């Protein structure tokens, strides 16, 4: 509608022949190549503005992160080191910048432990982009929330105390029904910092 195109003209310009109900990475790539001013995050999730025009002279570079959906949690716990498994996951587009780089994954939020009803909440079904940090690095607990790949599951939490010299990390849920939990750092397989939040619902 914005471009004033019929569906037939849109398909001809983008070379898209598949069903538009299930948007894939290949579909987004085709649209982004033909209409580079359209925000791929808006296309995929309705997040942000439809038109994404970078400052003059600045070229945006779109990358794709593997999406670990709720149904893929169990598989990720055993397959996170398997490149073939990671490659088999659905992908989600994001704009590369100074902070979002390296080993980046997208995680679908499960449950209500991080939903306190405020603008900081992570609601069930929301998607977050997270960047891996080395397990032995200091944890920037005052700057970020965290995705913790724990032996019992994938956790999205705040870290309130990093006491790994004594073998523990204290995590906190935003939802007051859950409180504080101390976990053993030996049970943590990976740690990511949350660098972007996307919501299926308007916040």
């Amino acid at each position: 509608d914005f471009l004033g195109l019929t569906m037939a003209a849109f398909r001809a310009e983008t070379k898209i022949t598949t069903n538009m109900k299930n948007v894939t990475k290949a579909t987004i790539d085709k649209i982004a190549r033909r209409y580079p001013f359209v925000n791929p995050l808006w296309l995929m999730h309705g997040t942000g503005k439809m038109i994404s025009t970078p400052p003059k002279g600045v070229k945006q570079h779109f990358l794709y992160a593997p999406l670990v959906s709720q149904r893929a949690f169990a598989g990720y716990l055993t397959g996170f080191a398997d490149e073939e498994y990671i490659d088999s996951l659905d992908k989600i587009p994001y704009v590369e910048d100074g902070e979002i780089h390296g080993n980046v994954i997208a995680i679908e939020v499960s449950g209500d432990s991080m939903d306190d009803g405020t603008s900081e909440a992570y609601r069930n079904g929301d998607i977050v982009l997270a960047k891996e940090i080395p397990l032995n690095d200091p944890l920037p607990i005052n700057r970020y929330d965290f995705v913790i790949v724990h032996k019992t599951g994938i956790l999205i939490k705040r870290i309130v105390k990093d006491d790994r010299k004594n073998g523990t990390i204290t995590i906190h849920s935003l939802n007051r029904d859950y409180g504080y939990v101390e976990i053993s750092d030996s049970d943590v397989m990976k740690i990511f910092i949350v660098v972007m939040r996307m919501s299926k619902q308007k916040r």
Side-chain angles (χ1 to χ4, degrees):
D1 290 344
F2 176 81
L3 296 170
L5 298 173
T6 64
M7 181 56 74
F10 172 76
R11 288 182 179 278
E13 287 194 359
T14 57
K15 308 283 194 299
I16 292 173
T17 58
T18 55
N19 190 326
M20 289 294 290
K21 289 183 179 179
N22 297 311
V23 180
T24 65
K25 176 182 180 297
T27 304
I28 294 296
D29 282 341
K30 289 177 180 179
I31 296 173
R33 280 196 299 269
R34 182 62 183 84
Y35 312 115
F37 48 83
V38 176
N39 178 1
L41 297 179
W42 179 85
L43 285 170
M44 289 286 284
H45 314 290
T47 301
K49 296 180 179 179
M50 178 177 69
I51 304 301
S52 177
T53 305
K56 196 170 183 180
V58 176
K59 187 176 181 181
Q60 287 182 325
H61 185 205
F62 298 112
L63 299 177
Y64 293 86
L67 172 61
V68 183
S69 63
Q70 293 180 16
R71 67 179 182 275
F73 278 14
Y76 185 79
L77 289 178
T78 57
F80 64 81
D82 184 342
E83 289 187 13
E84 287 189 11
Y85 170 76
I86 297 299
D87 287 343
S88 73
L89 295 172
D90 291 337
K91 304 296 187 294
I92 189 170
Y94 66 95
V95 179
E96 183 183 36
D97 65 18
E99 185 177 32
I100 309 177
H101 59 81
N103 183 24
V104 177
I105 63 169
I107 300 284
E108 184 180 10
V109 177
S110 176
D112 65 352
S113 69
M114 290 296 281
D115 187 358
D116 61 353
T118 71
S119 61
E120 295 186 3
Y122 299 86
R123 297 182 177 90
N124 184 59
D126 284 357
I127 293 172
V128 301
L129 275 183
K131 178 178 73 172
E132 185 177 9
I133 60 174
L135 282 173
N136 295 324
D137 276 12
L139 300 177
I141 62 177
N142 295 319
R143 293 182 58 202
Y144 296 98
D145 293 326
F146 295 83
V147 173
I148 301 168
V149 182
H150 189 266
K151 71 174 187 179
T152 62
I154 298 174
L155 313 172
I156 299 176
K157 299 294 179 184
R158 291 206 168 152
I159 294 177
V160 295
K161 186 177 181 181
D162 178 9
D163 192 19
R164 285 176 292 172
K165 65 182 179 182
N166 292 314
T168 64
I169 297 171
T170 304
I171 59 176
H172 172 51
S173 300
L174 294 180
N175 187 331
R176 292 182 181 180
D177 292 339
Y178 291 84
Y180 297 81
V181 176
E182 191 176 88
I183 61 175
S184 170
D185 69 338
S186 63
D187 293 334
V188 176
M189 296 179 283
K190 280 180 178 287
I191 294 182
F192 298 79
I193 56 173
V194 175
V195 291
M196 183 184 293
R197 292 192 287 180
M198 304 173 208
S199 177
K200 291 169 64 176
Q201 318 167 53
K202 291 187 177 178
R203 293 193 178 278

